[in-house]
Amino acid sequence: MQKPPLELQIQSLPDSPGVYQYYDKEDKILYVGKAKNLKKRVSSYFNKIHDTAKTNVLVKKIVTIKHIVVPTETDALLLENNLIKKLQPRYNVLLRDDKSYPWLCIKKEPFPRVFSTRRMVKDGSEYFGPYTSFKTVSTILDLIKELYPLRTCNYDLNQNNIKNHKFKVCLEYHIGNCKGPCEGYESVENYQTQVEAIREILKGNFKASLKDFKIKMSDRAAALHFEEAQKIKEKIEVLENYQSRSTIINPKITNIDVFSIVSDEGAAYVNFLQIAHGSIIRSHTLEIKKKLDETDEELLELAIIELRERFHLLSKEIIVPFEVEVGEHIKVTVPQLGDKKQILELSIRNAKFYRIEQLKQLQILDPDRHTNRIMAQMQKDLRLHVEPRHIECFDNSNIQGTNPVAACVVFKDGKPSKKDYRHFNIKSVEGPNDFASMEEVVYRRYKRMLDEQQPLPQLIIIDGGKGQLSSALKSIDALELRGKIAIVGIAKRLEELFYPGDSAPLYLDKKSESLKVIQYLRNEAHRFGITFHRDKRSQSALNSSIESIPGIGEKTMLVLIQHFKSVKRLKLAPEKEISEVVGVSKAKKITDFYRTSNP
């Protein structure tokens, strides 16, 4: 059966909330999305040219549009999440850490055991978690073991088996880790009291357990059972120490989830903190691999739905950095100040730290991908038509108007290419004139590259403001390179980027990698230029100084310049060292000259 044209498929969509699915000509799933209004959302894909090439490619491949209408937007969110995980469409974001996490289980059985597991069995048992590391699980189990002597055996401790003396106490009983319910030495009621206390601890509520232990300690001390009181005191200290290690926020903030997002060109990082009884009881960061030009709002909404489902979160309030739509039954709070603002900032810091760690690992494990990501980010940040794989940066140096020189440094794939660095002596400009000097060196650099048919850079950076940029542009225009090479100027003081024909500067985020690469370029150009300028001044001073020494000719002068490099080194050199270079007679003339001229 022939498929109806796309225009007809779009017109037949309802103005209702739901989920849409795009398929290609081979009926392979391309993309799954949600919408408040299916017709409006799907139409928006086809009535404009999109900012990213990937989205435009996606739209060209769409042949079939399918949809599912749902009662509410919340249902659309949940259905979208489930379909993405089930169908794994090519153009949907990729959730990077979909794996099995450990849980803590309170088993449904007589005298329940508490243990860790990766499998949830629907037998009425209670599961707490999942936890994002086994270290956390191990710490909690150690805490429980120190506080409450529960059984670890897997015997069926029903009343008939206990009455019939089917089991015998083991070593755990004899060393004090279990009270022997298998032989009826501990009652069901006493055991369940301990399990209830453990249940509250796993929920993040330490108050009840601390209160109970303190009452027992006082009772034992009043009855003069000091050894037992001391043991209970040690348990209180263990519990208080564990509680102090969980970040305390505010006891009034309870049963709230916090979500934040940090993103770059290729991925987003969503951090989640679970708050109970004023403490952080869980933290997790989810990496989302971008496929299209998704907004932070879209990605955060997707992540919230995924994390709430994955961790079985039931909180009625969430804290986020901006408004999101995750269902009408959840209170969304965007804090501006106070305790909730502080906990949101903590979540953002966690997301940033996680991103930095991932990028460090990427730089080591996959340097090419790391480079590609930075180049794509620079292209976007600097509004370029192509990635700036080859960048050149110019800087002038003329301290106190002497020996004017310029430097050109070259970066390839975001890293210095030192063999391509170039120095320039200013030839056509008299006196200190930065603008004319910049015009000269830019012209000379690219005239030579054109003559020698060398590949031109994708980006030129001029160290200076509008004046230097305008001067460089004169040379670019003279060589008819305007529009073939992007060129920007960077002002030193405020890190302002100036573009040709644009009076308003561009400001990059101070922590952005694009700005760091530009600053690295600018600093390299400055260092390279200053070094060359210093060498020229030293050589000039040495030349004039040696020319003043009676009896020293041009050949001797060149030998001295080559060996000593500067006037200071020649003046401080002992006569013996100088004689080894130019002979005893000339060495005496040189040392006598400097001794009499600098008494």
Side-chain angles (χ1 to χ4, degrees), residues 43 47 73 91 108 141 163 182-183 197 260 273 366 417 482 522 524 587:
S43 298
N47 58 18
E73 193 183 348
Y91 287 91
K108 187 183 180 183
L141 285 174
K163 283 180 182 179
C182 58
E183 287 199 51
S260 65
L273 301 176
D366 194 346
S417 179
R482 177 78 75 108
R522 193 262 312 281
E524 269 291 279

Side-chain angles (χ1 to χ4, degrees), residues 31 34 41 293-303:
Y31 186 77
K34 67 176 187 312
R41 181 71 183 104
D293 193 23
E294 298 91 355
T295 65
D296 281 358
E297 287 81 359
E298 291 172 330
L299 295 172
L300 186 57
E301 287 173 4
L302 174 68

